[in-house]
mmCIF file of all heavy atoms in Angstrom:
data_model
loop_
_atom_site.group_PDB
_atom_site.id
_atom_site.type_symbol
_atom_site.label_atom_id
_atom_site.label_comp_id
_atom_site.label_asym_id
_atom_site.label_seq_id
_atom_site.Cartn_x
_atom_site.Cartn_y
_atom_site.Cartn_z
ATOM 1 N N PHE A 442 -103.193 38.831 31.887
ATOM 2 C CA PHE A 442 -104.241 38.163 31.169
ATOM 3 C C PHE A 442 -105.104 39.153 30.480
ATOM 4 O O PHE A 442 -105.258 40.253 30.872
ATOM 5 C CB PHE A 442 -105.061 37.230 32.103
ATOM 6 C CG PHE A 442 -105.401 37.918 33.342
ATOM 7 C CD1 PHE A 442 -106.738 38.615 33.323
ATOM 8 C CD2 PHE A 442 -104.761 37.802 34.491
ATOM 9 C CE1 PHE A 442 -107.176 39.197 34.552
ATOM 10 C CE2 PHE A 442 -105.194 38.489 35.667
ATOM 11 C CZ PHE A 442 -106.422 39.137 35.695
ATOM 12 N N PRO A 443 -105.873 38.858 29.403
ATOM 13 C CA PRO A 443 -106.754 39.681 28.746
ATOM 14 C C PRO A 443 -107.916 40.221 29.539
ATOM 15 O O PRO A 443 -108.476 39.476 30.354
ATOM 16 C CB PRO A 443 -107.270 38.916 27.509
ATOM 17 C CG PRO A 443 -106.414 37.648 27.391
ATOM 18 C CD PRO A 443 -105.847 37.417 28.770
ATOM 19 N N LEU A 444 -108.245 41.512 29.465
ATOM 20 C CA LEU A 444 -109.355 42.090 30.033
ATOM 21 C C LEU A 444 -110.134 42.843 28.973
ATOM 22 O O LEU A 444 -110.017 44.076 28.834
ATOM 23 C CB LEU A 444 -108.896 43.119 31.159
ATOM 24 C CG LEU A 444 -108.375 42.485 32.462
ATOM 25 C CD1 LEU A 444 -107.991 43.646 33.437
ATOM 26 C CD2 LEU A 444 -109.572 41.648 33.208
ATOM 27 N N PRO A 445 -110.976 42.196 28.207
ATOM 28 C CA PRO A 445 -111.700 42.889 27.096
ATOM 29 C C PRO A 445 -112.581 44.064 27.537
ATOM 30 O O PRO A 445 -112.687 45.019 26.893
ATOM 31 C CB PRO A 445 -112.509 41.723 26.456
ATOM 32 C CG PRO A 445 -112.185 40.423 27.128
ATOM 33 C CD PRO A 445 -111.233 40.653 28.336
ATOM 34 N N GLU A 446 -113.132 43.903 28.854
ATOM 35 C CA GLU A 446 -114.054 44.785 29.322
ATOM 36 C C GLU A 446 -113.277 46.248 29.602
ATOM 37 O O GLU A 446 -114.056 47.225 29.548
ATOM 38 C CB GLU A 446 -114.815 44.393 30.518
ATOM 39 C CG GLU A 446 -113.969 44.191 31.751
ATOM 40 C CD GLU A 446 -113.289 42.799 31.777
ATOM 41 O OE1 GLU A 446 -113.197 42.125 30.869
ATOM 42 O OE2 GLU A 446 -112.696 42.588 32.888
ATOM 43 N N ILE A 447 -112.015 46.149 29.788
ATOM 44 C CA ILE A 447 -111.278 47.417 30.120
ATOM 45 C C ILE A 447 -111.220 48.311 28.903
ATOM 46 O O ILE A 447 -111.094 49.622 29.047
ATOM 47 C CB ILE A 447 -109.828 47.120 30.593
ATOM 48 C CG1 ILE A 447 -109.426 48.119 31.629
ATOM 49 C CG2 ILE A 447 -108.853 47.030 29.487
ATOM 50 C CD1 ILE A 447 -108.460 47.611 32.491
ATOM 51 N N GLY A 448 -111.400 47.861 27.640
ATOM 52 C CA GLY A 448 -111.511 48.704 26.473
ATOM 53 C C GLY A 448 -112.696 49.613 26.413
ATOM 54 O O GLY A 448 -112.687 50.548 25.816
ATOM 55 N N ASP A 449 -113.685 49.170 27.252
ATOM 56 C CA ASP A 449 -114.912 50.123 27.276
ATOM 57 C C ASP A 449 -114.672 51.390 28.160
ATOM 58 O O ASP A 449 -115.469 52.297 28.017
ATOM 59 C CB ASP A 449 -116.110 49.256 27.934
ATOM 60 C CG ASP A 449 -116.467 47.993 27.057
ATOM 61 O OD1 ASP A 449 -116.206 48.150 25.822
ATOM 62 O OD2 ASP A 449 -117.053 47.126 27.614
ATOM 63 N N ILE A 450 -113.695 51.360 28.866
ATOM 64 C CA ILE A 450 -113.359 52.594 29.654
ATOM 65 C C ILE A 450 -112.613 53.504 28.905
ATOM 66 O O ILE A 450 -111.558 53.157 28.147
ATOM 67 C CB ILE A 450 -112.450 52.145 30.984
ATOM 68 C CG1 ILE A 450 -113.276 51.138 31.785
ATOM 69 C CG2 ILE A 450 -112.131 53.358 31.774
ATOM 70 C CD1 ILE A 450 -112.463 50.641 32.965
ATOM 71 N N ASP A 451 -113.010 54.827 28.874
ATOM 72 C CA ASP A 451 -112.321 55.824 28.106
ATOM 73 C C ASP A 451 -110.814 56.026 28.726
ATOM 74 O O ASP A 451 -110.710 56.254 29.871
ATOM 75 C CB ASP A 451 -113.087 57.139 28.295
ATOM 76 C CG ASP A 451 -112.460 58.247 27.398
ATOM 77 O OD1 ASP A 451 -111.593 58.082 26.631
ATOM 78 O OD2 ASP A 451 -112.871 59.410 27.606
ATOM 79 N N SER A 452 -109.883 55.871 27.727
ATOM 80 C CA SER A 452 -108.505 55.967 28.129
ATOM 81 C C SER A 452 -108.155 57.332 28.591
ATOM 82 O O SER A 452 -107.146 57.528 29.144
ATOM 83 C CB SER A 452 -107.526 55.476 26.983
ATOM 84 O OG SER A 452 -107.725 56.135 25.903
ATOM 85 N N ASP A 453 -108.918 58.307 28.183
ATOM 86 C CA ASP A 453 -108.568 59.769 28.606
ATOM 87 C C ASP A 453 -109.331 60.068 29.863
ATOM 88 O O ASP A 453 -109.149 61.204 30.379
ATOM 89 C CB ASP A 453 -108.994 60.664 27.511
ATOM 90 C CG ASP A 453 -108.283 60.478 26.244
ATOM 91 O OD1 ASP A 453 -107.043 60.288 26.284
ATOM 92 O OD2 ASP A 453 -108.863 60.772 25.204
ATOM 93 N N ALA A 454 -110.170 59.130 30.405
ATOM 94 C CA ALA A 454 -110.883 59.424 31.656
ATOM 95 C C ALA A 454 -109.796 59.584 32.828
ATOM 96 O O ALA A 454 -108.843 58.869 32.893
ATOM 97 C CB ALA A 454 -111.820 58.312 31.972
ATOM 98 N N GLY A 455 -110.187 60.501 33.729
ATOM 99 C CA GLY A 455 -109.265 60.744 34.856
ATOM 100 C C GLY A 455 -109.676 59.706 36.036
ATOM 101 O O GLY A 455 -110.431 58.796 35.723
#
Side-chain angles (χ1 to χ4, degrees):
F442 50 86
L444 284 178
E446 67 275 10
I447 213 156
D449 297 337
I450 299 171
D451 182 12
S452 61
D453 292 331

